[in-house]
Amino acid sequence: MKSQALGGSSLVSSRLAYGCMRIAGTMDRSRLTAEREAAGRGAVLAAWEAGYTHFDHADIYGDGLCEEIFGRVLRDVPGMRDRVVVASKCGIRWQGDPGPSAPHRWDFSREHIVRSCEGSLRRLGTDRLDLYMLHRPDYLADPQEIAAAFDALKRQGKVLEFGVSNFRPSLLAAVRRACPMRLVVNQVEIHLARLDCLEDGTLDQCLADGVTPVSWSPLARGLLGDGGRPDPADPRAAGLRALLEVLDATARRLGVSRTVLSLAWLLRHPAGVVPVVGSTDPARIRDAAGADGLELGREDWYTMLTAARMRALP
C-alpha cells in the first residue's frame, strides 16, 4: 500500500488506516473471551499483513480492551512497533465516571487529557503515542488549556504529534492558534452518504492549513460496502438505493468491489483523506486495501457525487 505524510509531519501513514474500535468484540470487560480476543488479534494481523501501518484507537473503545489487545499484538510481532503509527483519542467520558452522579460528557481539561494519555500508554504497552487526538469537541474547550496539556505531553516524550476529531473549522482554528505545535489531522465523518465536510469548510481548511482529514466510518457503517442496504425507515432510503445502483454499476465496469470504489472516492480528494477501515473480517480488510490501487477519473467521481447529493449540481 502507498503511504503519505500526516499533516506535513514526520509521521508516515498507509493510505488507509485500520480502526481498532471493534477488535475486543464487546464494550463489557467481563465479556471478553479468548475467542473474541483471538478474532481481534486476527483482524489486526490481517491489516498489518495487507499493508496498513496506521492503527486508530480511542481510550473508550472496548472500555480500554481494544488498546490492551493491540498492545499484546505489538509485543508479540517483532519490529511492528517501530513500523506503525499508533494513534489514540481522548475526551469522551461516560455517565458514572467518576461517580454515579456524573453525566455523559466531553472533557478537554488538562488533567483529563494527560491522565487519559497515560492510561492509553499503559494499555498499549508503549512509551509513546505517535498521534494523539481530541475525540469530540468539548463545548467548554479552552484552547490555552488544551495547548498546555499538549505541550506537557510533547516535552515528556509521551506524544509525537497531535490532532483532533469531529472539530468544526472554527474550533480547530482556535486550538491551532493556541498550540505551540502543529495539529496534523482532523478525523471526521465523510463518505458518500455524508457530504457535510465538502460544504462546511472542513476540507477547505485541511487543504489551506496542511491538515490531513481522516475519515471515520468511510463506508457509512457498512451501507456503502458490499451487500449494504439502506434502512427502509430512513427518509433518504429511495435516494440511497439509487446511489447504491450507481456504485454497483460503476464497480462492475471497473472490475472492483463496491467497498473499493467507495473508499477510492475518498482517496481521490486532493486533501489526502485517509479512510479508517473498521471491519474485523480479514477478507474484507484485505479487499479494502485494494482501494489504494484505483485512481478514479473526474467523470466517475462526479457521477458518484451527484448520485450522493440526490440532486443535480447547480
Side-chain angles (χ1 to χ4, degrees):
M1 196 185 302
K2 294 189 287 290
S3 59
Q4 68 176 72
L6 294 178
S9 73
S10 62
L11 295 181
V12 178
S13 165
S14 49
R15 288 290 282 117
L16 289 90
Y18 182 68
C20 297
M21 184 176 73
R22 297 183 178 88
I23 64 172
T26 179
M27 288 290 290
D28 183 347
R29 285 183 160 267
S30 68
R31 299 182 64 188
L32 180 66
T33 63
E35 292 76 15
R36 280 180 166 155
E37 175 157 355
R41 289 172 64 95
V44 170
L45 290 171
W48 167 243
E49 292 163 1
Y52 297 77
T53 63
H54 180 163
F55 291 86
D56 180 75
H57 292 270
D59 54 358
I60 62 167
Y61 292 167
D63 191 24
L65 287 170
C66 298
E67 290 180 327
E68 292 178 14
I69 291 169
F70 186 81
R72 290 192 278 274
V73 175
L74 285 182
R75 178 196 64 197
D76 294 343
V77 178
M80 183 177 178
R81 176 62 191 93
D82 292 330
R83 295 169 61 191
V84 297
V85 172
V86 178
S88 197
K89 300 182 286 294
C90 75
I92 295 177
R93 302 188 70 175
W94 300 126
Q95 183 176 357
D97 172 20
S101 64
H104 172 55
R105 64 203 185 280
W106 301 329
D107 187 347
F108 288 172
S109 65
R110 174 175 176 166
E111 178 187 20
H112 183 69
I113 292 170
V114 171
R115 184 176 63 246
S116 295
C117 179
E118 291 170 346
S120 289
L121 291 173
R122 285 193 301 271
R123 289 187 293 271
L124 288 161
T126 186
D127 62 353
R128 72 186 188 282
L129 289 171
D130 300 302
L131 175 62
Y132 198 42
M133 294 167 282
L134 302 175
H135 204 159
R136 290 275 177 181
D138 180 7
Y139 292 115
L140 296 177
D142 180 340
Q144 296 297 330
E145 187 171 9
I146 291 168
F150 283 3
D151 187 52
L153 292 170
K154 180 82 168 179
R155 285 187 290 102
Q156 294 165 12
K158 294 176 179 177
V159 178
L160 297 183
E161 301 286 354
F162 297 87
V164 298
S165 182
N166 303 296
F167 268 40
R168 304 177 300 278
S170 53
L171 182 57
L172 175 54
V175 176
R176 278 172 59 88
R177 281 194 296 270
C179 282
M181 73 289 292
R182 78 185 97 204
L183 300 180
V184 302
V185 306
N186 188 6
Q187 187 173 125
V188 292
E189 186 180 9
I190 177 173
H191 46 69
L192 281 160
R194 187 180 180 94
L195 302 172
D196 305 52
C197 290
L198 287 171
E199 304 286 354
D200 65 8
T202 297
L203 292 189
D204 299 339
Q205 181 186 47
C206 289
L207 281 166
D209 295 343
V211 175
T212 296
V214 176
S215 167
W216 63 265
S217 193
L219 298 175
R221 299 164 186 82
L223 170 67
L224 302 172
D226 297 283
R229 294 291 181 268
D231 181 345
D234 189 321
R236 300 193 302 162
L240 290 172
R241 283 193 294 271
L243 167 63
L244 296 181
E245 289 173 3
V246 169
L247 297 186
D248 286 338
T250 306
R252 284 193 300 270
R253 176 168 53 80
L254 296 177
V256 297
S257 67
R258 187 203 292 173
T259 292
V260 164
L261 181 67
S262 298
L263 295 172
W265 185 84
L266 289 167
L267 293 176
R268 180 65 174 79
H269 195 278
V273 179
V274 175
V276 179
V277 174
S279 175
T280 56
D281 181 334
R284 290 182 181 271
I285 293 168
R286 289 188 290 267
D287 176 58
D292 181 50
L294 177 62
E295 183 73 22
L296 284 180
R298 282 178 173 268
E299 292 78 9
D300 282 332
W301 194 91
Y302 268 100
T303 296
M304 295 162 66
L305 173 69
T306 302
R309 282 168 50 87
M310 302 178 195
R311 63 187 187 281
L313 288 169

